Amino acid sequence: MSIFKYLDYKEYLKKTIDKNAKIYGYRAKLAEAAGCQRSFLSQVLHSSPHLTLEHGIGLCRYWQFSPMERDYFLALVQLARAGNDELKDYFKSQLERMRREQADLSQRYRQEDITRGDESAIYYSSWHYAAIHMLSTIPEFQHKPSTAKRLQLPMAVVEEAAQVLQRLGLVESQGEYVLSTKKSIHLSKSSYLNNLNHSLWRQKISQGLLTPYSRDFHYTALYTLSREDMDHLQQMLVEFVDATRKLVAPSKEEEMVSLCCDLIRV
């Protein structure tokens, strides 16, 4: 369960207990982690008392929260304990800022950015630079003629791209072979190249609709929903991206795919 869906720490606490109802003594384990009596935890759940920050940090440690999740949960506790509207508004603004930050993938996956002037622009000027870069991680496509055949590109284009990628430190070009240096990149959301990068890959996917591969998957939908549920939907997509990265990281390099997710207000 994502803590970022919640604006009430008690609601999150109740949902967490319900989800772990089959774990014997789970509520007692939470009380121990918080450093309080089980009876006090029950009062927190069903009455007016609130956790202290000391209780909260113990729970965060027990749940093995990330620093961002810990900060968010503790801010929820502070919001609930705030004694006037001005202080409540302050913590609400902090919570909103943290929700925005955790939804920004460039903040979640801090990687080295390509920022070397003209060559960074070259990398994102066409889809084939990134495609050749990623194919260089798959053994059968580390041979430049194989890359050219797979992408249906002239050898001269592959050669030129390999030179650019090598100058950026992303590959090593050795004769007819191009080998990945395993350097990972995530373009910052604030970069002026970000929109171009998104657009190029969506254009490439649109071209693929004309010659579909049997295992391709396409889905387009238009919904109307509440603003709160739109926030939940955005969080679901962020969690999905988290799951894809955990799946892909240890996966053997055999195939190259493009995954594009879009959620926009129309």
Side-chain angles (χ1 to χ4, degrees), residues 169-214:
L170 299 173
V171 304
E172 292 181 4
S173 183
Q174 302 174 357
E176 288 195 338
Y177 291 86
V178 56
L179 309 176
S180 171
T181 60
K182 301 296 184 181
K183 190 174 183 180
S184 182
I185 301 165
H186 189 89
L187 188 62
S188 169
K189 186 176 182 179
S190 61
S191 172
Y192 72 97
L193 297 167
N194 198 40
N195 288 342
L196 177 61
N197 184 47
H198 288 310
S199 297
L200 289 172
W201 280 106
R202 279 154 181 77
Q203 291 172 22
K204 182 61 178 172
I205 289 174
S206 296
Q207 294 170 11
L209 292 172
L210 301 176
T211 55
Y213 174 54
S214 61

Side-chain angles (χ1 to χ4, degrees), residues 14-233:
K14 291 174 183 177
K15 291 289 179 65
T16 301
I17 291 171
D18 289 344
K19 183 180 179 181
N20 294 279
K22 294 182 180 180
I23 298 178
Y24 179 76
Y26 184 75
R27 191 175 297 199
K29 293 179 187 293
L30 290 184
E32 181 181 1
C36 66
Q37 296 295 320
R38 183 175 176 180
S39 58
F40 176 74
L41 185 60
S42 294
Q43 291 178 35
V44 169
L45 291 169
H46 304 294
S47 188
S48 58
H50 286 296
L51 296 176
T52 65
L53 292 179
E54 289 78 10
H55 295 145
I57 198 71
L59 290 173
C60 292
R61 187 187 314 112
Y62 177 76
W63 288 323
Q64 297 183 328
F65 273 178
S66 68
M68 188 177 291
E69 290 171 323
R70 177 201 61 204
D71 292 348
Y72 190 86
F73 184 79
L74 294 179
L76 287 179
V77 174
Q78 290 175 303
L79 171 63
R81 297 179 62 87
N84 58 47
D85 289 341
E86 183 179 4
L87 191 56
K88 287 182 183 294
D89 289 342
Y90 170 78
F91 284 118
K92 285 178 182 178
S93 67
Q94 294 297 304
L95 289 165
E96 180 58 30
R97 175 184 59 77
M98 286 187 274
R99 291 177 83 173
R100 289 196 303 269
E101 286 181 356
Q102 70 85 33
D104 183 348
L105 299 182
S106 67
Q107 296 296 317
R108 295 169 71 85
Y109 316 124
R110 290 183 179 273
Q111 306 279 358
E112 184 169 353
D113 199 355
I114 293 181
T115 55
R116 296 185 217 174
D118 293 341
E119 290 198 339
S120 64
I122 292 174
Y123 184 92
Y124 292 107
S125 67
S126 172
W127 62 270
H128 76 275
Y129 290 103
I132 293 170
H133 174 206
M134 295 311 298
L135 280 179
S136 70
T137 68
I138 304 176
E140 69 178 288
F141 295 112
Q142 291 173 339
H143 188 230
K144 293 176 184 176
S146 299
T147 297
K149 182 177 180 181
R150 166 65 185 266
L151 299 178
Q152 298 182 8
L153 294 173
M155 270 297 297
V157 173
V158 174
E159 288 284 3
E160 183 271 341
Q163 293 174 16
V164 170
L165 296 173
Q166 180 164 265
R167 288 196 296 270
L168 289 168
L170 299 173
V171 304
E172 292 181 4
S173 183
Q174 302 174 357
E176 288 195 338
Y177 291 86
V178 56
L179 309 176
S180 171
T181 60
K182 301 296 184 181
K183 190 174 183 180
S184 182
I185 301 165
H186 189 89
L187 188 62
S188 169
K189 186 176 182 179
S190 61
S191 172
Y192 72 97
L193 297 167
N194 198 40
N195 288 342
L196 177 61
N197 184 47
H198 288 310
S199 297
L200 289 172
W201 280 106
R202 279 154 181 77
Q203 291 172 22
K204 182 61 178 172
I205 289 174
S206 296
Q207 294 170 11
L209 292 172
L210 301 176
T211 55
Y213 174 54
S214 61
R215 298 181 68 181
D216 285 351
F217 177 84
H218 300 281
Y219 180 72
T220 301
L222 188 64
Y223 300 123
T224 57
L225 73 172
S226 69
R227 292 186 178 89
E228 180 181 2
D229 285 337
M230 182 174 178
D231 289 342
H232 288 174
L233 189 55

Side-chain angles (χ1 to χ4, degrees), residues 134 138 150 201 216 248 255-259:
M134 295 311 298
I138 304 176
R150 166 65 185 266
W201 280 106
D216 285 351
V248 169
E255 187 59 273
M256 181 175 69
V257 301
S258 175
L259 173 63

